[in-house]
């Protein structure tokens, strides 16, 4: 068992004290020598024993901080912004409003234009103008996507000085033109609705005139189809259907037997009408003329007298 160094020193001090005590109390010298030798041997053994190694506590090394590589600095192509540039459309009454970021790169290394940005903007606007002149104003969103796809491809200008393209392309109609376009669309829909309603009405009128009321018989059949089994009512409506058929075809309305009976004049009316006609005819002739050679007799004149207007009625009602 390993003793602590302080304990050994304490033991040596005790041995020394015992040796001194033995000298004081008169012990023999050899006993003091033996005690001293034992003490020295004990001390030698203790000093030669190696100390127990202490556990080495290693502190964790601080984590190594990896610094990120600095981002490479790229210099983008030069750019210029254009906004609210009016471009033509397929309709002469409307124009688009065009906005974009124009970018370009230099091609020639020799003589250059003083303002290459202006050259790039002009070249790109010319491309955009040729594209929008064929686009309809009613396809605003589709036109913008198509224009962004075509203008995003780099292209050379006429003299080959710069290669330009566009980003953040925006194509729209001004607010006033957009409202006007909506108003025109509403009017066009209303016109189409009116024309369709008019054509439906014309078709219905033609169907009634040329098919349903073409003849009284077709009118009666049409009524029976819409009222199946109601034959008695159809018989009572024959005169009405006949009048409708005549009116539909611009023909005189046929007079029924009851109407003729209601319109037939009485005997007194016929006699009065005949007398009035006779007096009218005498006034027109100016009285009787003197007889001459070859002159006709009054009997002949009576035969040549014009027939009164109501003669047909007399023939009709007095022929019995």
């Amino acid at each position: 068992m390993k003793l602590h160094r302080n304990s050994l020193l304490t033991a040596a001090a005790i041995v020394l004290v015992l040796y001194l005590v033995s000298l004081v109390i008169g012990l023999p010298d050899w006993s003091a020598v033996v005690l001293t030798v034992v003490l020295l041997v004990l001390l030698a053994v203790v000093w030669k024993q190696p100390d127990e190694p202490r556990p080495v506590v290693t502190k964790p090394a601080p984590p190594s901080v990896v610094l990120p590589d600095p981002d490479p600095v790229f210099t983008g192509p030069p750019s210029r912004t254009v906004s609210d540039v009016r471009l033509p459309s397929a309709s002469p009454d409307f124009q688009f409003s065009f906005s974009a970021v124009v970018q370009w790169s230099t091609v020639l290394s020799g003589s250059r234009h003083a303002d290459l940005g202006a050259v790039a903007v002009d070249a790109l606007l010319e491309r955009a103008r040729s594209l929008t002149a064929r686009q309809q104003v009613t396809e605003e969103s589709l036109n913008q996507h198509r224009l962004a796809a075509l203008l995003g491809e780099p292209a050379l200008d006429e003299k080959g000085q710069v290669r330009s393209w566009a980003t953040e392309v925006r194509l729209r109609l001004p607010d006033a033109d957009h409202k006007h376009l909506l108003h025109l669309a509403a009017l066009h829909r209303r016109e189409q609705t009116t024309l369709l309603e008019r054509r439906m009405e014309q078709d219905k009128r033609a169907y009634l005139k040329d098919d349903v009321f073409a003849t009284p018989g077709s009118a009666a059949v049409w009524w029976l189809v819409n009222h199946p089994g109601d034959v008695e009512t159809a018989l009572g409506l024959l005169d009405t259907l006949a009048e409708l058929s005549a009116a539909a075809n611009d023909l005189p309305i046929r007079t029924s037997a009851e109407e003729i009976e209601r319109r037939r004049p009485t005997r007194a009316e016929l006699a009065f009408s005949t007398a009035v006609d006779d007096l009218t005819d005498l006034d027109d002739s100016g009285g009787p003329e003197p007889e001459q050679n070859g002159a006709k007799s009054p009997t002949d004149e009576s035969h040549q007298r014009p027939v009164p207007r109501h003669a047909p009625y007399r023939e009709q009602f007095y022929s019995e």
Side-chain angles (χ1 to χ4, degrees):
M1 181 178 180
K2 179 184 175 183
L3 297 178
H4 197 270
R5 186 173 297 176
N6 294 331
S7 300
L8 294 178
L9 293 176
T10 302
I14 293 172
V15 171
L16 181 60
V17 170
L18 291 175
Y19 176 73
L20 294 176
V21 170
S22 63
L23 292 179
V24 172
I25 62 176
L27 292 175
D29 295 334
W30 60 269
S31 60
V33 174
V34 171
L35 290 174
T36 303
V37 172
V38 171
L39 179 60
L40 292 176
V41 172
L42 182 60
L43 291 176
V45 172
V46 171
W47 282 106
K48 286 184 179 181
Q49 186 177 0
D51 296 335
E52 183 179 357
R54 296 180 180 180
V56 179
V57 179
T58 58
K59 295 182 179 180
S64 59
V65 179
V66 180
L67 297 177
D69 296 335
D71 295 334
V73 179
F74 295 101
T75 302
S79 62
R80 186 170 296 184
T81 302
V82 294
S83 60
D84 296 331
V85 179
R86 291 298 186 94
L87 296 178
S89 67
S91 176
D93 298 331
F94 297 94
Q95 289 184 335
F96 292 111
S97 179
F98 174 77
S99 301
V101 176
V102 182
Q103 298 179 347
W104 69 91
S105 61
T106 306
V107 176
L108 295 179
S109 58
S111 61
R112 300 177 182 176
H113 193 273
D115 189 357
L116 293 179
V119 176
V121 170
D122 180 71
L124 189 125
L125 289 179
E126 187 63 26
R127 291 173 58 193
R129 183 178 183 277
S130 62
L131 293 173
T132 59
R134 301 190 299 268
Q135 294 177 345
Q136 299 294 332
V137 293
T138 55
E139 303 174 352
E140 181 178 354
S141 179
L142 182 62
N143 293 336
Q144 177 174 341
H145 291 296
R146 184 184 296 116
L147 199 65
L150 295 176
L151 295 181
E153 183 179 358
L156 290 172
D157 65 313
E158 294 180 355
K159 297 183 179 180
Q161 300 180 92
V162 293
R163 181 179 287 105
S164 60
W165 64 94
T167 59
E168 301 180 15
V169 176
R170 185 180 181 187
L171 189 70
R172 64 181 184 86
L173 280 176
D175 295 337
D177 291 345
H178 185 69
K179 293 180 180 179
H180 182 55
L181 186 63
L182 292 178
H183 182 63
L184 290 180
L187 291 179
H188 183 64
R189 286 194 296 268
R190 188 183 307 172
E191 179 185 10
Q192 288 183 336
T193 303
T194 303
L195 292 176
L196 182 59
E197 292 176 350
R198 183 183 304 171
R199 183 168 36 178
M200 292 176 63
E201 181 184 352
Q202 290 175 351
D203 293 343
K204 186 181 296 184
R205 287 159 51 190
Y207 164 69
L208 291 175
K209 179 181 178 181
D210 301 334
D211 192 358
V212 175
F213 296 110
T215 61
S218 63
V221 172
W222 169 79
W223 196 91
L224 284 174
V225 169
N226 289 276
H227 304 81
D230 201 353
V231 179
E232 295 181 358
T233 306
L235 291 175
L237 294 175
L238 287 178
D239 292 339
T240 303
L241 294 174
E243 292 178 2
L244 289 175
S245 176
N249 293 276
D250 296 329
L251 298 175
I253 299 176
R254 184 175 62 85
T255 306
S256 62
E258 296 179 357
E259 190 71 17
I260 294 175
E261 183 68 24
R262 187 167 54 251
R263 293 179 182 178
R264 183 166 56 183
T266 61
R267 293 177 181 272
E269 292 176 349
L270 289 174
F272 179 77
S273 298
T274 303
V276 172
D277 292 338
D278 292 342
L279 293 175
T280 304
D281 295 337
L282 290 174
D283 293 337
D284 294 339
S285 62
E289 296 180 357
E291 294 183 2
Q292 297 178 0
N293 294 330
K296 296 181 181 179
S297 63
T299 306
D300 296 334
E301 292 180 359
S302 62
H303 288 289
Q304 294 180 357
R305 187 171 56 189
V307 180
R309 289 193 297 269
H310 295 285
Y313 290 99
R314 291 198 298 272
E315 294 177 359
Q316 179 180 359
F317 296 109
Y318 294 106
S319 61
E320 298 177 357

